[in-house]
Amino acid sequence: MSARHLVVTGGAGFIGSAFVHHVIEHTDDTVTVVDSLTYAGNLASLEDLPSNRVRLEVEDIADAAAMDRIIRGADAVVHFAAESHNDNSLDDPSPFVQTNLIGTFTLLESVRRHGVRLHHISTDEVYGDLALDDPQRFTETTPYNPSSPYSATKAGSDLLVRAWVRSFGVQATLSNCSNNYGPRQHVEKFIPRQITNLIDGIRPKLYGAGLNVRDWIHAEDHSSAVLRILEAGEIGQTYLIGADGEKNNRQVVELILQLMGHDVHDYEHVADRAGHDLRYAIDATRLRNELGWEPAFADFETGLAATIDWYRDNEQWWRPQKAATEAKYQKVGQ
Ligand code: NAD
Ligand code: DAU
């Protein structure tokens, strides 16, 4: 395949930057990262990329003129930019409505004007949650039933994309992925919070009883799936991305404690999240069968051990955010 020019929104965030690294390593493509560098964007995540293939535009995706300038002439837009943290959406939903809904609307209008292909990144949370003993997992036909302000705005953004495909012929694909882990994830999120707490001598914190289940996938596997959909996905289709990684939060915390050389029971229970979804689980059969995708990080423990090493080796990356993040959690008893 000849080299493309990709616009990657949210490319200074956790998964967006993993995707940019993946594209640079596995293709000849060039990339323009569009990122407004909110608290979640980190320039250090783009530091070691070749300047002749990756450039950064510090812009808000809700700025129509800036999006027109950047998107015109691109081969595709891969849209990761979002407000992404459920706890923040309970504290103040307004930036979630602005970026996830108005921002996505603005991008859709721009790709429509310029006839540019879009891939929209979304989440399994749009489907709501499952009972612990439900034999079903989420599929592409599961009805939408989001619980939090974050997941409701992501669900709304997905519906906008689908409507722009059907009504205006926009050339778009969508994917809904489960919980990602790996290097360069903000310390507000579950796994990096516990790893960096242990580095700082703080006990890991489990919301409620810790029995909520998440379906973990390495960000590198999310990236390879998105690249595969970009290359071979059918326009208008949704693909679920997951790697059969269901674990409850207690199991994850105990594994982190074990891998970091602590007593596996040395954690504490803190206030539960309001409206806390119980379980997510992805059936990625369509992606595997139709596009031949397979995850590379089959073993969660190996991927988690490497992630722990990354946080130990890259304290300068996460240290500036740690104290303010913990102060915010402390205020709400978490
Ligand atoms: P993140 O919070 O780490 O990164 C988001 C990035 O978007 C940041 O760099 C931020 O600066 C940028 N951004 C925010 N608002 C912007 C705006 N208005 N204009 C331009 N840039 C803006 O998020 P993440 O965890 O990397 O998630 C990326 C995408 O993947 C999101 O769409 C999220 O819904 C989706 N997703 C995340 C997960 C997960 O486990 N983290 C799982 C499935 C799907
Ligand atoms: O499922 C995909 C979603 O995964 C993405 O759409 C979101 O952007 C991403 O943030 C993530 O959402 P979660 O709410 O599942 O992730 P979080 O890391 O916030 O929490 C994971 C689980 O761990 C959840 O059940 C809450 C719990 N938790 C979280 C924190 C921060 C704790 O028990 N203790 C904690 O300190």
Side-chain angles (χ1 to χ4, degrees), residues 9-17 34-42 59-62 79-85 98-100 103 121-124 150 154 175-181 184-186 188-189 216 222:
T9 74
F14 165 45
I15 309 171
S17 64
V34 176
D35 200 297
S36 61
L37 300 179
T38 67
Y39 81 96
N42 195 333
E59 299 286 0
D60 190 319
I61 56 163
H79 175 32
F80 291 90
E83 286 292 335
S84 70
H85 195 42
Q98 175 60 29
T99 289
N100 301 358
I121 304 294
S122 193
T123 169
D124 58 359
Y150 162 67
K154 290 298 290 187
S175 55
N176 297 74
C177 187
S178 59
N179 283 64
N180 285 221
Y181 74 99
R184 304 184 212 94
Q185 185 170 29
H186 194 282
E188 70 190 352
K189 302 296 198 296
W216 293 99
H222 188 176

Side-chain angles (χ1 to χ4, degrees), residues 60-63 67 79 81 96-109 160:
D60 190 319
I61 56 163
D63 180 336
M67 292 311 105
H79 175 32
F96 289 76
V97 171
Q98 175 60 29
T99 289
N100 301 358
L101 287 169
I102 307 294
T104 301
F105 160 73
T106 309
L107 281 178
L108 279 166
E109 286 291 80
L160 290 175

Side-chain angles (χ1 to χ4, degrees), residues 30 36 127 139 170 179 185 190 192 223 225 239 244 264 273-274:
T30 55
S36 61
Y127 302 113
T139 71
V170 160
N179 283 64
Q185 185 170 29
F190 179 50
S223 298
Y239 297 88
D244 303 325
V264 298
R273 174 183 285 171

Side-chain angles (χ1 to χ4, degrees), residues 90-314:
L90 297 167
D91 180 45
D92 178 11
S94 61
F96 289 76
V97 171
Q98 175 60 29
T99 289
N100 301 358
L101 287 169
I102 307 294
T104 301
F105 160 73
T106 309
L107 281 178
L108 279 166
E109 286 291 80
S110 187
V111 295
R112 178 185 168 202
R113 275 192 289 276
H114 299 293
V116 173
R117 163 81 190 276
L118 174 72
H119 181 71
H120 174 68
I121 304 294
S122 193
T123 169
D124 58 359
E125 294 194 20
V126 301
Y127 302 113
D129 59 355
L130 297 162
L132 293 181
D133 60 354
D134 192 333
Q136 303 293 320
R137 299 187 292 171
F138 300 138
T139 71
E140 286 80 2
T141 57
T142 303
Y144 274 37
N145 187 26
S147 314
S148 74
Y150 162 67
S151 50
T153 57
K154 290 298 290 187
S157 70
D158 293 9
L159 298 182
L160 290 175
V161 176
R162 289 181 183 191
W164 262 242
V165 169
R166 177 152 172 173
S167 305
F168 305 122
V170 160
Q171 301 284 293
T173 40
L174 301 90
S175 55
N176 297 74
C177 187
S178 59
N179 283 64
N180 285 221
Y181 74 99
R184 304 184 212 94
Q185 185 170 29
H186 194 282
V187 291
E188 70 190 352
K189 302 296 198 296
F190 179 50
I191 287 178
R193 183 181 185 207
Q194 315 314 332
I195 295 170
T196 54
N197 274 355
L198 283 169
I199 291 172
D200 280 353
I202 304 168
R203 296 166 87 200
K205 319 249 186 221
L206 271 181
Y207 291 178
L211 299 179
N212 305 64
V213 171
R214 296 295 181 264
D215 189 352
W216 293 99
I217 180 173
H218 199 282
E220 181 67 19
D221 284 333
H222 188 176
S223 298
S224 69
V226 170
L227 197 56
R228 184 76 196 122
I229 296 166
L230 203 58
E231 286 164 356
E234 191 184 326
I235 295 301
Q237 284 294 346
T238 293
Y239 297 88
L240 262 54
I241 304 174
D244 303 325
E246 281 189 74
K247 303 238 167 330
N248 75 33
N249 295 338
R250 208 185 278 181
Q251 291 172 305
V252 174
V253 154
E254 289 181 359
L255 190 52
I256 293 171
L257 280 158
Q258 180 204 310
L259 290 169
M260 294 183 73
H262 293 261
D263 173 353
V264 298
H265 301 299
D266 197 11
Y267 56 81
E268 61 186 82
H269 294 277
V270 295
D272 206 352
R273 174 183 285 171
H276 196 173
D277 278 341
L278 189 52
R279 172 175 165 239
Y280 307 136
I282 290 267
D283 177 348
T285 303
R286 170 181 281 174
L287 180 65
R288 288 175 186 260
N289 289 356
E290 293 181 15
L291 302 188
W293 172 83
E294 289 294 335
F297 285 78
D299 179 36
F300 180 67
E301 184 169 334
T302 308
L304 186 60
T307 303
I308 291 169
D309 286 344
W310 189 88
Y311 280 91
R312 279 186 169 136
D313 295 344
N314 291 276

